[in-house]
Amino acid sequence: MYRSHTCGELRADHINKEVALSGWVQKTRNKGFMIWVDLRDRYGMTQLIFDEERTSSEMMEKAAQLGREFVIQVTGKVIERESKNPQLATGDIEILVSEFKILNASLTPPFTIENETDGGEELRMKYRYLDIRRNPVKENLMFRHKVGMKVRNYLSEEGFIEVETPYLIKSTPEGARDFVVPSRMNEGQFYALPQSPQTFKQLLMVGGMDKYFQIVKCFRDEDLRADRQPEFTQIDCEMAFVEQEDILNIFEGLTRHLLKEIKGVEIGDFPRMTYADAMKKYGNDKPDIRFGMEFAELNDLAKNKGFNVFDQQELIVGIAVPGAASYTRKQIDKLIEWVKRPQVGANGMVWAKYNDDGTLKSSVDKFYSEEDLQAWAKETGANPGDLILVMSGDANSTRAQLSALRMHLATELGLRNAKEFAPLWVVDFPLLEWDEDTNRYHAMHHPFTSPKPEDIALLATEPGKVRANAYDLVMNGNEIGGGSIRIHDKETQAMMFDYLGFTPEEAKAQFGFLMDAFQFGAPPHGGIAFGFDRLVSILGGHETIRDYIAFPKNNSGRDIMIDAPSKLDNAQLGELHLKVTE
Amino acid sequence: MYRSHTCGELRADHINKEVALSGWVQKTRNKGFMIWVDLRDRYGMTQLIFDEERTSSEMMEKAAQLGREFVIQVTGKVIERESKNPQLATGDIEILVSEFKILNASLTPPFTIENETDGGEELRMKYRYLDIRRNPVKENLMFRHKVGMKVRNYLSEEGFIEVETPYLIKSTPEGARDFVVPSRMNEGQFYALPQSPQTFKQLLMVGGMDKYFQIVKCFRDEDLRADRQPEFTQIDCEMAFVEQEDILNIFEGLTRHLLKEIKGVEIGDFPRMTYADAMKKYGNDKPDIRFGMEFAELNDLAKNKGFNVFDQQELIVGIAVPGAASYTRKQIDKLIEWVKRPQVGANGMVWAKYNDDGTLKSSVDKFYSEEDLQAWAKETGANPGDLILVMSGDANSTRAQLSALRMHLATELGLRNAKEFAPLWVVDFPLLEWDEDTNRYHAMHHPFTSPKPEDIALLATEPGKVRANAYDLVMNGNEIGGGSIRIHDKETQAMMFDYLGFTPEEAKAQFGFLMDAFQFGAPPHGGIAFGFDRLVSILGGHETIRDYIAFPKNNSGRDIMIDAPSKLDNAQLGELHLKVTE
């Protein structure tokens, strides 16, 4: 037996007990006549003491040689600590070591194993097993486990059944790129890894499972943006005999449960907003509603006042930045440079300071009177002390640009409080979106999403205006879940594939099994999927999902710890009937 | 809202209530003036009644057209049933339908959706979504979920943390064949899908996670034998600062918990048996100990009696088959034919009947006296009425052949009672096994298994005799779990790779990250993995894992429902820098 207790367990109650502990040497302090060692394991830290009056000289010598991250096992007596450490759960006691054994030595770690480390990200990823020893990383992984357990137990108690769907499935051209897996036994053929278990969960509904969930890995071979991973985890759910309202209720319940159980935060009914409103008010389908700065459209107030720039534009839209009237000209110029960056893409920006004394001063004083600017202030909801920023251009781009600015400013002004949770349902997403590259409509959610019955007639005339029974759960400016009511009859599904540019043959080859299934009594059904990595990181109060993934990949999709992917030898390629081309 | 209640919920208490139900038409009975419909959902079955005295004629007509597996929604009043059905939870009531709506029609299903169906296996796999509607399949999936939840909650309460390890890892030549995944972003390179998260869980131990588990998909590209799947699920566990005894205790606890909670079976301490004993007594490293028929070695009794066949052999070994002395000559000949099949491979078999009157009659009476045979009976533990069967040859093959016969007979005699659970730890597995094909030793468990310290000296002289700290949990003749104490220092690991025929360069290229990790304070650790599919099927009382997998693949690794794997188009291959060769 390596230990009788963990390093986080001993208290004053244990004084005079003989105990055995095992763990890592966090730190040693050697005063010659006394040596203290902080011994660490997953559960905490305990101080060991070697003291020349009570410890043999051989043992003193051996203890003096202990280095950071050595793994040792000690036996000794729990004694009262002279100078107690109230910061430490075990701070009342220490262990007077009577025997100890080095279980494994350690080289000097490439970065410090402390809450704040001196290691850069690449280095920490290469030695991820050492990074995991640090409390923040370890606690993130334990937090993830806790959230997973809460989700599973909640859904299970609500009657959901976790069903494992296959990982080796079929490649389909719709959506993102698949990762594929060559089959040795079926020469020249490939499986694909699932981008989500979408069709399988629908088939489980056809199969009468009624309520399904799964916490499951999904895969997308996309060029990786920051904070995207080629493999990610989804809480995948589906229900039969439900309308949108039923689904929103159940998963609002789950989210409320998690916020309460994990964060101690009680939240009432989640607000709902249509996609159209979200775009109008926040320029974004996943608005962060923890702070104001709602968009105010100023076309009526700002056009035809002699300012040519505005007169030509489709949309003029502004926000009031709280307390920013005191910005210097330099600060404002920096903001203007910020919105002109290629990532944002604006041409410029108009500003108006609403001074504390109630006067207004703007970059367009030549064209707009004090009254004009007062009207802007009223429309944007600005108060004295606020800065009004106004952008213009075609509606879609301008909204996106102002949304980027709004988020940037909120971060700068510290308005994105990680301890505050502001969930929001965004509903009534468009069914289709126009894709300039391919010159056709794509499914905004996926091709299995049902159009709103009242909008079906528009499909023939204005497909872009058809709304779907699709919804996203947004929290603090992040999409954490999204879903829809699905199509459940063959005719509508075939029509949808037709709109999306599939020939009937293609539709049959790729999704024939699903359309077949719809002919044998498919129930109405719908579902949702939560991004588990994202959900955990938001609940945990961090912004990057990588902090909550045990072994993440870098931005080139590489695992730099194990050095994957790597080349195969020719024998292995030959067995797979494959050749690598240049 | 599609329903106020489920089809399994209504009782006499609900009489006179107005309810809404949704589900599938299981069956209709039409007597003209009355029509009964059995409505089914996941939760049960409820009888609907349409009655010309109380139902409009239009509705009667519509109801008359309902076919099997139509999906309908009904509203009506719960009324007392005239002839109650005590077999059915809802058998006291029926629903007098006031309104109903066909939500979806159904073609005639290709097989009957009944507990016993007329559909063959291929057909049911093609229409798996219909097969899942059948109670036995649906209940198996729900049972699997229940076992999974129990496992997770038990391990979580024992302090284990579920950590998700990556699916896109690195291909290694050791062990079974990997499935690989070409990387588009890293041209000409491949990920591999994990055969198990072995190295990652060890790294988590190096990382101080202390207790890890995961219910996780694993992948092996092997030629599929019956009841093997290319993707399968594992309960994967690892612990730090443990000896073999600690691991056996924890996972014996888990197994006992499952047996109690799920099967209501209380089992005391699990018996333990060394690998050597298991081979000697049962010819098998996963003996079914629910019944006797232990092997008796008869070399001393049967050699040098003039029977040439035996005199030349390494091993003569017999079993007593209870109550089989009454077998006819024809039955015995059939058994002899059975062991001569190529799958078993024996040359023949000697038999001796221990008659009820105490006399003995054998196929080798020419060579053995009644006293000789009495000695055989004593050694095999035969009682009057039993049949003694004796095989001979080289030790390994003969044991394997007799083991096959023993299992065959036990099945035939009904001794393998699916309701009885006989767990067994098999311990002290050999570290290495000789492979005739490659003419070298292979790791019996895997290359990370530690040799028993007392046997290390044998590595240089008799590697085949070195025992490992490796153990299997066997239940009812199936291996349901296996694990080992791992190597945790670089030197031993390097030595092991050397014994397994790796050059130092190969070892470094493939497992350098692990050996590096061992240099930074790796704790002693060990673990176990349970085959979750197998565990569930044994607890469920079925023999085939396919019954407990939602969407299994067939013996060629194909999903015949979705028709995967399939060909990729050239554009997709081109992006992956791949070409299919002939």
Side-chain angles (χ1 to χ4, degrees):
Chain A
M1 213 190 48
Y2 281 100
R3 60 188 172 196
S4 62
H5 295 78
T6 70
C7 295
E9 201 174 347
L10 297 170
R11 300 286 182 275
D13 293 351
H14 296 93
I15 285 168
N16 286 323
K17 265 207 148 169
E18 283 291 326
V19 298
L21 297 181
S22 290
W24 286 265
V25 172
Q26 176 73 31
K27 203 168 68 185
T28 58
R29 268 169 308 144
N30 190 339
K31 291 212 174 178
F33 59 96
M34 269 196 196
I35 299 169
W36 291 270
V37 174
D38 284 344
L39 191 68
R40 186 196 73 229
D41 66 10
R42 185 183 109 191
Y43 310 92
M45 189 113 74
T46 299
Q47 181 165 290
L48 313 178
I49 181 167
F50 301 82
D51 155 7
E52 64 177 7
E53 287 181 18
R54 295 175 286 182
T55 305
S56 73
S57 56
E58 297 98 300
M59 207 188 287
M60 287 300 284
E61 234 167 80
K62 209 170 131 198
Q65 284 157 22
L66 287 174
R68 280 198 287 143
E69 301 307 316
F70 274 48
V71 183
I72 64 173
Q73 181 189 17
V74 303
T75 316
K77 194 154 78 168
V78 183
I79 59 175
E80 191 172 357
R81 199 155 146 174
E82 257 179 48
S83 60
K84 306 212 172 20
N85 179 352
Q87 312 295 333
L88 203 64
T90 62
D92 285 347
I93 57 94
E94 58 193 356
I95 312 295
L96 179 64
V97 177
S98 54
E99 272 182 69
F100 89 99
K101 200 168 145 186
I102 295 175
L103 298 174
N104 220 339
S106 177
L107 300 179
T108 304
F111 50 85
T112 54
I113 312 295
E114 306 273 357
N115 290 0
E116 301 287 331
T117 180
D118 57 358
E121 198 182 358
E122 281 276 304
L123 194 65
R124 286 187 289 115
M125 278 178 84
K126 182 165 166 59
Y127 296 95
R128 183 67 170 172
Y129 45 88
L130 296 179
D131 206 23
I132 290 172
R133 282 191 201 156
R134 299 195 307 114
N135 283 329
V137 181
K138 179 190 80 183
E139 277 157 17
N140 285 352
L141 295 180
M142 291 174 69
F143 182 76
R144 183 182 178 111
H145 166 66
K146 187 176 162 190
V147 178
M149 289 300 295
K150 295 272 181 211
V151 169
R152 280 200 163 91
N153 281 311
Y154 184 89
L155 290 176
S156 188
E157 271 160 39
E158 290 283 331
F160 286 80
I161 305 294
E162 185 162 29
V163 180
E164 294 173 56
T165 52
Y167 277 74
L168 297 173
I169 66 165
K170 185 170 166 166
S171 188
T172 59
E174 184 65 16
R177 250 187 233 98
D178 285 324
F179 280 107
V180 299
V181 181
S183 166
R184 186 179 50 85
M185 288 175 77
N186 300 275
E187 199 178 321
Q189 300 187 26
F190 294 74
Y191 303 98
L193 298 177
Q195 295 184 27
S196 90
Q198 183 62 33
T199 50
F200 289 96
K201 69 177 174 176
Q202 292 191 243
L203 292 174
L204 287 171
M205 294 305 104
V206 177
M209 284 307 293
D210 207 80
K211 291 176 176 176
Y212 144 92
F213 84 104
Q214 190 181 190
I215 301 187
V216 62
K217 273 280 174 78
C218 302
F219 305 85
R220 270 179 215 177
D221 184 13
E222 288 179 298
D223 298 321
L224 298 174
R225 281 180 267 155
D227 219 25
R228 277 273 185 103
Q229 290 280 316
E231 49 177 304
F232 55 95
T233 306
Q234 201 162 284
I235 309 173
D236 194 52
C237 305
E238 197 80 3
M239 302 170 76
F241 301 116
V242 287
E243 286 154 355
Q244 174 168 316
E245 195 60 28
D246 302 305
I247 296 193
L248 299 195
N249 283 336
I250 287 273
F251 293 96
E252 186 165 320
L254 168 65
T255 311
R256 199 179 286 120
H257 174 78
L258 293 177
L259 285 167
K260 188 174 167 203
E261 292 273 306
I262 287 175
K263 304 307 294 182
V265 173
E266 300 239 21
I267 286 185
D269 288 349
F270 293 4
R272 296 185 188 182
M273 192 182 290
T274 63
Y275 171 87
D277 278 351
M279 296 309 287
K280 215 171 146 69
K281 283 191 186 166
Y282 299 97
N284 198 316
D285 62 0
K286 40 179 199 279
D288 190 339
I289 57 168
R290 281 175 297 182
F291 54 92
M293 291 204 252
E294 283 184 26
F295 289 10
E297 301 196 352
L298 304 175
N299 284 24
D300 291 348
L301 299 176
K303 280 194 177 188
N304 305 316
K305 300 277 182 174
F307 185 46
N308 261 335
V309 177
F310 280 178
D311 288 350
Q312 298 156 16
Q313 305 299 356
E314 187 185 356
L315 180 69
I316 303 157
V317 57
I319 52 172
V321 188
S326 57
Y327 274 22
T328 61
R329 185 58 203 255
K330 210 172 151 192
Q331 282 176 298
I332 293 178
D333 282 347
K334 224 177 114 191
L335 282 180
I336 294 172
E337 284 314 304
W338 192 90
V339 300
K340 283 176 163 178
R341 301 184 320 153
Q343 297 96 314
V344 182
N347 289 319
M349 185 159 61
V350 162
W351 55 266
K353 289 184 178 185
Y354 195 178
N355 296 314
D356 285 332
D357 63 6
T359 61
L360 280 138
K361 166 95 193 89
S362 82
S363 59
V364 284
D365 281 350
K366 238 190 279 181
F367 308 102
Y368 298 93
S369 67
E370 180 93 11
E371 288 77 48
D372 289 335
L373 297 177
Q374 283 289 357
W376 292 15
K378 195 171 164 210
E379 198 64 25
T380 57
N383 293 313
D386 295 352
L387 175 69
I388 299 165
L389 295 173
V390 182
M391 297 173 82
S392 65
D394 77 273
N396 289 347
S397 328
T398 307
R399 284 181 177 135
Q401 290 155 8
L402 189 61
S403 170
L405 177 66
R406 176 178 175 270
M407 295 299 277
H408 172 69
L409 283 164
T411 304
E412 235 180 30
L413 295 167
L415 300 175
R416 306 192 68 194
N417 174 5
K419 297 218 169 109
E420 192 186 335
F421 295 94
L424 167 74
W425 287 109
V426 178
V427 298
D428 296 353
F429 272 79
L431 182 69
L432 304 167
E433 60 185 345
W434 184 256
D435 183 60
E436 300 285 347
D437 292 342
T438 53
N439 214 31
R440 66 171 178 88
Y441 280 106
H442 280 260
M444 191 153 189
H445 189 50
H446 54 50
F448 315 108
T449 299
S450 64
K452 279 191 185 285
E454 61 268 35
D455 287 5
I456 286 189
L458 288 171
L459 265 174
T461 53
E462 295 178 278
K465 291 213 169 152
V466 176
R467 291 167 305 158
N469 279 317
Y471 33 81
D472 274 0
L473 181 59
V474 170
M475 184 133 50
N476 298 2
N478 295 283
E479 180 204 326
I480 57 163
S484 63
I485 298 296
R486 325 298 183 187
I487 294 165
H488 68 281
D489 65 285
K490 186 176 177 174
E491 293 66 35
T492 311
Q493 191 63 68
M495 181 181 75
M496 190 56 53
F497 284 128
D498 186 33
Y499 275 107
L500 297 172
F502 286 72
T503 65
E505 293 70 35
E506 285 166 349
K508 190 176 155 55
Q510 287 158 30
F511 297 107
F513 61 96
L514 186 67
M515 291 194 287
D516 283 351
F518 286 171
Q519 294 188 291
F520 290 101
H525 62 285
I528 196 166
F530 286 80
F532 187 57
D533 307 292
R534 177 68 59 207
L535 175 66
V536 170
S537 80
I538 291 174
L539 291 176
H542 288 246
E543 287 284 313
T544 118
I545 62 171
R546 224 177 270 185
D547 294 341
Y548 292 86
I549 295 174
F551 300 100
K553 295 192 170 53
N554 75 5
N555 278 345
S556 319
R558 294 199 70 83
D559 183 325
I560 60 178
M561 179 184 72
I562 61 170
D563 193 25
S566 60
K567 295 210 166 165
L568 297 186
D569 61 33
N570 285 330
Q572 208 173 347
L573 285 171
E575 274 198 323
L576 297 169
H577 315 286
L578 286 183
K579 215 178 120 174
V580 172
T581 62
E582 292 314 302
Chain B
M1 213 191 50
Y2 280 101
R3 60 189 172 196
S4 63
H5 295 77
T6 70
C7 295
E9 200 174 348
L10 297 170
R11 301 285 182 276
D13 293 352
H14 296 91
I15 284 167
N16 285 325
K17 265 207 149 171
E18 283 291 325
V19 298
L21 298 181
S22 290
W24 285 264
V25 172
Q26 176 73 31
K27 203 167 71 183
T28 58
R29 269 169 306 143
N30 189 337
K31 289 211 175 181
F33 59 97
M34 270 195 195
I35 299 170
W36 292 269
V37 173
D38 285 344
L39 191 68
R40 187 196 71 231
D41 66 11
R42 186 183 109 191
Y43 311 90
M45 188 112 74
T46 300
Q47 180 164 293
L48 313 177
I49 181 168
F50 301 83
D51 155 7
E52 66 177 6
E53 285 181 16
R54 295 175 285 181
T55 306
S56 74
S57 55
E58 298 97 299
M59 206 186 287
M60 286 299 286
E61 235 167 80
K62 210 170 130 199
Q65 284 156 22
L66 287 175
R68 282 197 287 142
E69 302 305 317
F70 274 48
V71 183
I72 64 174
Q73 179 190 19
V74 303
T75 317
K77 191 154 81 169
V78 183
I79 60 174
E80 189 172 358
R81 199 155 146 176
E82 256 179 50
S83 58
K84 307 212 170 23
N85 180 351
Q87 311 297 332
L88 203 65
T90 61
D92 284 348
I93 57 92
E94 59 193 355
I95 311 296
L96 180 64
V97 177
S98 54
E99 271 182 72
F100 90 100
K101 199 168 147 184
I102 296 175
L103 298 173
N104 219 340
S106 175
L107 300 179
T108 304
F111 49 85
T112 54
I113 312 294
E114 306 274 356
N115 290 0
E116 301 287 332
T117 179
D118 57 359
E121 197 182 1
E122 281 277 302
L123 195 63
R124 285 186 289 116
M125 279 179 83
K126 181 164 166 59
Y127 297 94
R128 184 66 170 172
Y129 47 86
L130 296 180
D131 206 22
I132 290 171
R133 282 191 201 158
R134 298 193 309 114
N135 283 328
V137 181
K138 178 190 78 184
E139 278 157 17
N140 285 352
L141 296 180
M142 293 175 67
F143 181 77
R144 183 182 178 110
H145 165 66
K146 187 176 160 188
V147 178
M149 290 299 296
K150 296 270 180 210
V151 169
R152 281 199 162 91
N153 282 310
Y154 183 89
L155 290 175
S156 188
E157 271 159 39
E158 291 283 331
F160 287 80
I161 304 294
E162 185 161 30
V163 180
E164 294 173 56
T165 52
Y167 277 75
L168 297 173
I169 66 165
K170 185 169 165 167
S171 189
T172 59
E174 185 65 14
R177 247 187 235 99
D178 286 325
F179 281 106
V180 298
V181 181
S183 166
R184 187 178 50 84
M185 288 174 77
N186 300 274
E187 198 176 325
Q189 299 186 24
F190 295 75
Y191 303 98
L193 299 178
Q195 294 184 28
S196 89
Q198 183 63 34
T199 49
F200 289 96
K201 68 178 176 175
Q202 294 192 242
L203 292 174
L204 287 170
M205 293 305 103
V206 176
M209 284 307 294
D210 208 79
K211 292 177 177 176
Y212 145 92
F213 84 104
Q214 189 180 192
I215 301 187
V216 62
K217 273 281 173 80
C218 302
F219 304 85
R220 269 177 216 179
D221 184 14
E222 289 179 300
D223 298 321
L224 299 173
R225 282 181 266 154
D227 219 25
R228 279 271 186 104
Q229 290 279 316
E231 52 176 303
F232 54 97
T233 307
Q234 204 162 284
I235 310 173
D236 194 51
C237 306
E238 197 79 2
M239 302 171 77
F241 301 114
V242 287
E243 288 155 353
Q244 175 168 315
E245 196 58 29
D246 302 307
I247 297 193
L248 300 195
N249 284 337
I250 287 273
F251 293 97
E252 186 165 320
L254 168 65
T255 311
R256 200 179 287 121
H257 175 78
L258 293 178
L259 285 168
K260 189 174 167 205
E261 291 275 305
I262 287 174
K263 305 306 295 185
V265 173
E266 301 240 22
I267 286 184
D269 287 349
F270 293 3
R272 296 185 188 183
M273 192 181 292
T274 64
Y275 172 85
D277 278 352
M279 296 310 286
K280 214 170 146 72
K281 282 192 188 165
Y282 299 98
N284 197 316
D285 62 1
K286 42 178 198 281
D288 190 337
I289 57 168
R290 280 175 299 182
F291 53 94
M293 290 203 254
E294 284 184 25
F295 289 11
E297 300 195 350
L298 303 176
N299 284 23
D300 292 348
L301 299 175
K303 280 196 177 184
N304 306 315
K305 299 279 180 171
F307 184 46
N308 263 334
V309 176
F310 279 177
D311 289 348
Q312 300 157 17
Q313 305 298 357
E314 187 185 356
L315 180 69
I316 303 157
V317 57
I319 53 172
V321 188
S326 58
Y327 274 22
T328 61
R329 187 58 204 257
K330 209 171 150 191
Q331 282 176 297
I332 293 177
D333 284 346
K334 225 176 115 191
L335 282 180
I336 294 173
E337 284 314 305
W338 193 90
V339 299
K340 285 176 161 176
R341 299 184 321 152
Q343 299 95 315
V344 183
N347 289 320
M349 186 160 60
V350 163
W351 55 265
K353 289 184 177 184
Y354 195 178
N355 296 314
D356 284 331
D357 62 8
T359 62
L360 279 139
K361 167 94 193 85
S362 82
S363 59
V364 285
D365 281 350
K366 240 191 276 181
F367 306 103
Y368 297 94
S369 67
E370 181 93 11
E371 288 76 47
D372 289 335
L373 298 177
Q374 282 290 356
W376 292 14
K378 197 172 165 211
E379 198 64 25
T380 57
N383 294 312
D386 293 354
L387 175 68
I388 299 164
L389 295 173
V390 182
M391 296 171 84
S392 65
D394 76 275
N396 288 348
S397 326
T398 308
R399 283 180 178 136
Q401 290 155 9
L402 190 59
S403 171
L405 177 66
R406 176 178 175 270
M407 294 300 277
H408 172 70
L409 282 164
T411 305
E412 232 179 32
L413 295 167
L415 301 175
R416 306 192 67 195
N417 175 6
K419 298 217 168 109
E420 193 185 334
F421 295 94
L424 168 74
W425 287 109
V426 177
V427 297
D428 296 353
F429 272 78
L431 182 69
L432 304 166
E433 61 184 344
W434 184 256
D435 183 59
E436 300 284 348
D437 291 343
T438 53
N439 214 32
R440 66 171 178 87
Y441 281 106
H442 280 259
M444 192 152 188
H445 190 50
H446 54 50
F448 314 108
T449 299
S450 64
K452 277 189 186 287
E454 62 268 34
D455 288 4
I456 286 187
L458 287 171
L459 265 174
T461 53
E462 294 178 278
K465 289 213 168 152
V466 177
R467 292 166 305 159
N469 279 318
Y471 33 81
D472 274 0
L473 181 59
V474 171
M475 184 134 46
N476 299 359
N478 296 281
E479 180 205 327
I480 59 164
S484 64
I485 298 297
R486 325 299 183 186
I487 296 164
H488 68 282
D489 65 286
K490 187 178 178 173
E491 293 66 35
T492 312
Q493 190 63 68
M495 181 183 75
M496 188 56 54
F497 283 129
D498 186 34
Y499 275 107
L500 296 173
F502 285 71
T503 66
E505 293 70 35
E506 284 167 349
K508 190 177 155 54
Q510 285 158 31
F511 296 108
F513 62 94
L514 186 67
M515 291 195 286
D516 283 351
F518 285 172
Q519 293 188 289
F520 290 100
H525 62 285
I528 196 166
F530 285 81
F532 187 57
D533 307 293
R534 176 68 59 206
L535 175 67
V536 171
S537 81
I538 290 173
L539 291 176
H542 287 246
E543 288 283 314
T544 118
I545 63 171
R546 222 175 271 185
D547 294 341
Y548 292 85
I549 295 173
F551 300 100
K553 294 192 172 51
N554 75 5
N555 279 343
S556 320
R558 293 198 71 82
D559 183 325
I560 59 177
M561 179 184 72
I562 61 171
D563 193 26
S566 59
K567 296 208 165 164
L568 297 186
D569 61 33
N570 285 331
Q572 208 173 347
L573 285 171
E575 274 198 324
L576 297 168
H577 315 286
L578 286 182
K579 215 178 118 173
V580 171
T581 61
E582 291 317 300

